[in-house]
Every structure is written in C-alpha cells, then in structure tokens.
Amino acid sequence: MTEKRIYKPKSIAGFPEWLPEERLVEQKWFDHIRRVFESYGFCNIETPSVEELDVLTAKGEVDKEIYVIERLHKDPDEKKEARLALHFDQTVPMARYVAMNFNELVFPFKRYQMQRVWRGERPQMGRMREFYQCDIDIINVDNLPISFDAEVASVMYEVLEGLNIGKIQLRISNRKIISGFIEDWGLPNGTEILRILDKLEKVGEGQTFSDLEKAASYTGAGGAFTPARILLDLAKIKAPTSEEFKKQFSNLHTIPNTPKLQDGINELCSVLDNLSHLPQGAVVADLSIVRGLDYYTGTVYETQLLDVPEFTGSVCSGGRYDDLAGSYINKHLPGVGISIGFSRLFDVMRQTRPDLLGIGPKSPAHVMMVVPENETDRPIAAEAARTLRKNGNNVEMYHAAKKFGDQLKYASKKNIPFVWIVRDGKHEVKDMTAQTQSAADPKTWKFKA
Amino acid sequence: MTEKRIYKPKSIAGFPEWLPEERLVEQKWFDHIRRVFESYGFCNIETPSVEELDVLTAKGEVDKEIYVIERLHKDPDEKKEARLALHFDQTVPMARYVAMNFNELVFPFKRYQMQRVWRGERPQMGRMREFYQCDIDIINVDNLPISFDAEVASVMYEVLEGLNIGKIQLRISNRKIISGFIEDWGLPNGTEILRILDKLEKVGEGQTFSDLEKAASYTGAGGAFTPARILLDLAKIKAPTSEEFKKQFSNLHTIPNTPKLQDGINELCSVLDNLSHLPQGAVVADLSIVRGLDYYTGTVYETQLLDVPEFTGSVCSGGRYDDLAGSYINKHLPGVGISIGFSRLFDVMRQTRPDLLGIGPKSPAHVMMVVPENETDRPIAAEAARTLRKNGNNVEMYHAAKKFGDQLKYASKKNIPFVWIVRDGKHEVKDMTAQTQSAADPKTWKFKA
C-alpha cells in the first residue's frame, strides 16, 4: 500500500463544496425557495450548462469573464463545431430559450431557474467561479402589467424572510424618474451621473455632490446651471409608502414635467401600494438605487440584510427590462425579474451564523434502526424499518450486530434524533434528545420536526 | 426593429433541454428519487462541476472523453493554474471528496449524488454530452458488511418501481464466482473471457461458445482442456432465489473448490436472501452480468426495463469495489454503489411513453385566481391568493382585469386544475376538469392531487 502513487487533492479556488451537514441546510434553502416560487405559479426551466459562444456574445461585448469548454482529445478528422462556453448568468440562456420555444410557451411566461453559473475570474480575486443563482422572471409579448413588478418583489421578500437570515429590506426605485430629469435637462453625461448616484451609499454625500458638480451641467434658458444639489436630494429620497414618497418628492427644488418622469412616479407608487401587505420597514423607495447602466428601463430592486453586516452589497437584485430577446427573435418581449446570489449568501451565513442555519445533523435520517445482536431477529428489524419508511419516516438501518451502546454512539455522532429497538417482538423508540424510551408501533409512528 | 441584427439560436447536439411541462415531470422524478434515497438515510453531497485534470486521471488513462475549461480572455501576467476539467462521472469526484474530508465524515458513509456529468463525445455520435446521473454509494473503512449490497439494490428497485416505467428486473451477479473459476484453472485470458461473457445476451450462445473456445484454454493434470461449455453454462444461470441458484450451480459439470469462489457464492446468496421482500421476478441472479473489467470486485448489478424495449441496455448499474480512493489517500476504503443514467431514461420515456409520464400541466399552479374586472376588488382577490398560499396551495394570480372567459381560457391553456373567483365578497372555486363551481373558503380549501 505504501508503494502506491498518491495524488493528494486540494480544493480549487472559487469552486466551493460543502460537508454533508452543510449541504443538508443548503437543500432546505433550495426547497424553501422553490416552494415559494411555485406557490406563485412560476414554472421551472433548466437550460444546458453551455451555450454557443456566439449566443452569449450576441448583444455585444460581455463584461463577465467566460469559460469556454474544449474536448481534451480532438480527432483531427472531426467536423468543426460552434465554440461552446459555460453560461455566466441565467438571463441570456432564458432569452435564448424563450426565443427558441416562443410558439410552445404560454405568455405571460413566469419562470424560475436555480442553476449553477460560472465566471472565469482570476484565481487571486477570491471570488466564486461557480455558484448558484435563483432567478424569477415574467416575460410577456409587447407589454407587461406593472402589477408584476410588485409580485416579483413580494415573492423575493417571502423567500428571504423564510431563510432565517434576520431582517430584510427591499429597496426599490424606478429608472424613469432619474432618466426623466437627465433627459429633460439635456444633461450630456447621463451614464456618468447614474454611475455617481449608484455609489452614493459607498462614498457618502460630500463626495457624490462634488462628483455630480463635475458631471452634471446644464445650459438652459437662464444660462448655465449645475443641478448637483437636486440630483443628490432626489437620490436621498427614502420613503416606505407612496404617500411619503410623493411628499418627499414634491419638496425637491425643481421638478421637470415630462411624461417619462410621470410614468416613473406612477409605476413606483403602484409598486409600493401593491406591497403594502408586507411588514413595516420591509420595503422602501430609495432613489439612489440604479442597478447597472444599460439593461434596466423601469423598476429596479436591491435588497439589504439589516442584521448581517458581514454580507456587503445587495443579496437580491433585479428590475424591469424592455427587450429580453431582441438579439435572437424579432419580437418585443418586455420582462421583469429578480435574482438571488444564492451561494455567496449561503457561504456568508455558513461562516458567520452557523447557529441560525441550524447546521448539525449529518444525515436526513429521522430514525436509526438498531440491528439485533441476535442475527435471526434481523429480518424483523428490517421489516420494521420498511414499515416506518412507508409512513414517511427516513430510517437508517445500523450496519452490524454490534453492542447496543456502539449503535447508540453512531446515532448520536450523526445527530439522528430517534433510535428504534425491536426486542422479543416488542418495539420501543428512544428519543435521543430527551433521553426517554417508550413503546411504539411502527405502523403509526411518525417523525415530527 | 427589422434593422436589428438577429442571431437565430439552434439547439446544441448532446445538450438536451425540456419544455416547462416536461421539466415539471422531470422535477417529480428527482423529488421521488431523492425521497427514496433519504428514506434509507443517504445524505446528499454536491461536488463542483470541475476537478483538476490530474485528479480525473490519477488512476491512469480514462476511457471517457473529457471536456477541459479555459478562460476566454487570459491575462498575460496571471499566475499559472492547474488545468480544470468537467467531471465525467460522480465516482471520481466522490472518491476525491472522501479523501479530502476523511476526518469530517462518519463511516459507513452513505451518500447520494444527483448532478450533471459531461462527456466530450464527438458531435456525430448522437450521444448525450451533458446528462444527470443519480448515484448512491456506501463507503466504509477497511471492510463493508455484505448487507449493504442488498440495501443499495433494494433502494434502486424502489426508486425505479415508483417512476411508472413498467416492470423492472434487477440482475445480480458476483464477480468472485467467475473469477474463481478463471483463477483456479489458471486461464491466462481472464479479461478477454469476461469481455466475451459480457456480450452473451447481445451475440447469442453460439457465438459466445465459439469465442470462448478460442479464448479459454487450460492445461491441467490431465492435459489440455477448454472449459468453454462450463463457462457458458455458468453464464446461463438465471435464478430468482438462493435455493434455485444453488440448485442450478450444483448442476455444473465441474466446480473448482476455492475460497474466492465460495465467497462469491455466499455473498450472492446473502444478497438474494436479503431481497426476498421484493415482488417475484423483481430480482434474478444472472451470472452473465460482468460490468466493466477492472473496477468491480464482488456484487455487480444491471437493471432491465421489461416493458420498454425502446430502452436498450441497463438503466441502473453498479457493484462493489475494493478500493475507492487509493489514488488520493492511504486508506483502504471498500464500497458498493449503483447509478441511474437519469437523463437517457427520462428522454426515452418522454419520447416513447408521454402518456405514462403524465406530461400536461405547464405550471405548478393548483389554482388560478381570477382578477376582478372591477379594479377596486383586486386587493380582495390578492388577499384570497395569499390565504390560499398559506394553506400550501400554489396560486397564480391572473395578470389583467380581462373578461372572465379570457381568464378561463388562460387557465385551461396552462392546464391549471382550479379557478378561484371572488365576487361581491363571495368565494367560489371552479373545478376545470369536472366543470363544476361551488362556494369555498380560502382559509380552509386545500388542493388534492
């Protein structure tokens, strides 16, 4: 044995994996998220891990790092194929899927997707290179009711609220409002202004103000004018209800009157009104939220974990877009969607709040069946295990006719909550937490969490 | 819109994807499989999609085609990394995982794994290049009780039996039996003989016999001897019970008496005895089953679908191996495992037996909530939807205040079984199959499949 060549494996940076007891909690998270998504009627799709590289880059240069795949051994005579690459998100694959299956789908198409995505980050960045995202989107042909902008937010609030990760705050804005200002004033550096506002929370008011003074200048009827103050005041609006939002908004020094801006206000207020069933403080209109620069056209969302400062940035983000799949099909498909960066959230919680996660059991078993020391009684124990399973219990049969004490030790090492004993035809169940033992009937016994 | 550049996407050969109504059934299959695995106390693990290429090839040349991954844009100054490749099965990653986490795991380690695997097949082969496998394995340190060989078979029978894919037959053998013959007789072409026997069902008795005559020759005390007939008779043994197996076996013309052969017989009989709770015909000892040439050392399994001739070969296979992770750790880790080639099975059933699969609903929704034409009643409908969800119902809210008839049409297009109507404060539910409508209380109503 010592002569054997051993290759000692190392973990690969950016490709996380969990121990069984951690994975058990991760599975519970996925189950919960799926349950909430389905309770709103979202259907699931899965796309392949790869797309043609041309599909991934059809919209133009991609700002995410891409992994391409290649066969290790290529035959010299093989037919040339399209280059394939691992998908870096679930939006591009969904757009391709909707375009390809357009005639088979029922619109509005409400779908959820929970798959791994890959980013070819440089190894030294310490970022995840393979991780799960959980996305919901609603796509329609030509136009999509604004009520869906509230629905996706409501779904994600319910998802996060059920994960036991402390208080959640959904921050919502509408891109049309700030764009309305910028366009009406004819500010030339619109993208730059959005970029500056996006950083407000990070860099603070003073810096933002001076950055805005440089970027935003306006030449109107009355001469040159720099609306840095108004833009900053706008971005500082934080309002839990539509009434409060309207009040704060009307306090702004100057408000252009344009249809786009008015649309944005109406949409934002409608979303807030349709989320009024959520607890106080769960939702806030926050006009500093911008979310990327090109993609979103209306509602935008970010989500803060109020009780987990170790988690920086937004855990769940998204927004409304005008044209999902224009690169692949000649149809106008507006949509609204929101996405949880699942793996980073799980990893931060796993590392900083293992207590909240409930990491413990190393097995899904509810019951460990004791194997009788007398081998002839083994079939009776096996039969009892089968009966218990039929009632929906998870039962691990111990593996050898060892001493009772050894068998108990194994159950407690794995954190299995109950142990079942059949002796002289009598059934007893031992509660490993309470350390009590009592007669029980395998035909009716049912594990309760 | 017509000026836009459109890249019309095509599907990629070997990377299947399903429509929402097919995916819904695929999810049910996964849920069922997971439920059965967990009911026997198997814990789940997931490994990254990639391993270091050196890990995948640590045992030597791999007979599967491998995909390597590469960053599309490499920085010239970046630090050199180990080459990464997508895993081609779940056994090598599990072995690496067990070696790396040896001190954290509780043994016997019972794990299940349901992930995608990748094979870099040539595009013209028509094979899947990305597919799901569902594996269970039990690993122990130094030795592993034979009872587990029956357990994994029992689990897989229960899995397949619940998928509604017709009658299943598990075929079981033990490699020690044939190896016992070959070794005791000193037959030099052991591997070749196994290869010939493996093909018995495919090529028939005549061809197998003449192939054996060429490959198997033996020089003993009494001179040259070709045991082709005995090997063929051995491979033809098919017995549903250990008694029947022993009877047929004892009819062989010559039986060497070696410890290895005796071990094989005892193990096979023990497995058969421990599967006697399964229905008649579910299990058969079939000595023609060999399964690969190097890896397995004892029990081997294959599984036939008796009612789906379109599915050729074995749907679920595996066996016992002596040394799981010897390439990665200096420990002796025997195991037994069995694997379902999930995606091919699902695909064959999807194409040939859509009726059995129950493909239909395009949404997980149990209920569609009608949106009242009167916009002021919308919050009442939304509240009813929330109440129904709290009771565990999946409720899709219709998206616009359209005519009742249009809303009904949408529900039936999506195959949603119930429609809920709130009118003048009264709640009614319409059964879309029975076409009946009756008063109902959202606080107590519960969907039943």
Side-chain angles (χ1 to χ4, degrees), chain A residues 9 17-23, chain B residues 43-48 51 55 90-103 105 109 111 113 324-325 328:
Chain A
E17 75 182 355
W18 316 128
L19 288 170
E21 55 269 36
E22 296 167 331
R23 171 66 185 157
Chain B
C43 70
N44 185 238
I45 67 166
E46 272 198 352
T47 64
E51 299 286 341
V55 165
Q90 300 183 125
T91 306
V92 176
M94 172 185 63
R96 194 264 314 145
Y97 181 97
V98 169
M100 267 179 69
N101 299 296
F102 184 80
N103 292 319
L105 302 178
F109 180 54
R111 86 87 176 78
Q113 210 167 335
L324 174 75
Y328 312 122

Side-chain angles (χ1 to χ4, degrees), chain A residues 54-163:
Chain A
D54 287 341
V55 165
L56 292 183
T57 56
K59 271 198 171 180
E61 200 49 41
V62 176
D63 64 347
K64 316 242 174 10
E65 292 292 341
I66 294 177
Y67 276 121
V68 292
I69 68 168
E70 304 252 340
R71 300 176 55 218
L72 181 61
H73 302 292
K74 282 198 164 188
D75 310 322
D77 64 329
E78 91 183 44
K79 140 174 157 236
K80 188 117 176 90
E81 266 197 296
R83 223 165 156 200
L84 303 178
L86 296 169
H87 55 225
F88 54 81
D89 73 4
Q90 300 181 126
T91 306
V92 176
M94 171 184 64
R96 194 264 312 144
Y97 181 97
V98 169
M100 269 179 67
N101 298 296
F102 184 79
N103 293 319
E104 317 291 329
L105 303 178
V106 181
F107 292 91
F109 180 54
K110 299 175 73 169
R111 85 89 177 76
Y112 74 93
Q113 210 167 335
M114 314 204 293
Q115 293 187 241
R116 285 172 164 180
V117 303
W118 293 267
R119 305 272 167 94
E121 306 279 355
R122 294 174 59 152
Q124 53 265 59
M125 301 278 281
R127 294 220 193 115
M128 285 190 182
R129 301 197 276 181
E130 173 175 66
F131 55 94
Y132 276 102
Q133 282 187 188
C134 301
D135 294 5
I136 49 173
D137 286 85
I138 304 168
I139 314 295
N140 206 10
V141 185
D142 293 330
N143 54 61
L144 182 74
I146 187 70
S147 58
F148 284 131
D149 295 49
E151 182 169 289
V152 297
S154 178
V155 172
M156 280 305 191
Y157 182 83
E158 199 173 322
V159 160
L160 293 170
E161 196 266 333
L163 290 179

Side-chain angles (χ1 to χ4, degrees), chain A residues 7 17 49 52 96 120 130, chain B residues 7 17 49 52 71 130:
Chain A
Y7 181 89
E17 75 182 355
S49 303
E52 288 186 9
R96 194 264 312 144
E130 173 175 66
Chain B
Y7 181 88
E17 74 182 355
S49 303
E52 289 186 9
R71 299 177 55 218
E130 173 175 65

Side-chain angles (χ1 to χ4, degrees), chain A residues 411-423:
Chain A
S412 85
K413 218 165 144 189
K414 275 200 157 175
N415 243 309
I416 301 175
F418 290 91
V419 164
W420 198 276
I421 308 115
V422 192
R423 206 182 278 143

Side-chain angles (χ1 to χ4, degrees), chain B residues 111-128:
Chain B
R111 86 87 176 78
Y112 76 93
Q113 210 167 335
M114 314 204 293
Q115 293 186 242
R116 286 173 164 179
V117 303
W118 292 266
R119 304 273 167 94
E121 305 280 353
R122 293 174 58 153
Q124 54 266 58
M125 302 278 281
R127 295 218 192 117
M128 285 190 183

Side-chain angles (χ1 to χ4, degrees), chain B residues 172-190:
Chain B
I172 304 184
S173 183
N174 192 302
R175 288 276 294 261
K176 289 179 186 171
I177 299 175
I178 282 199
S179 298
F181 278 82
I182 292 171
E183 287 172 19
D184 186 62
W185 287 342
L187 300 178
N189 301 322

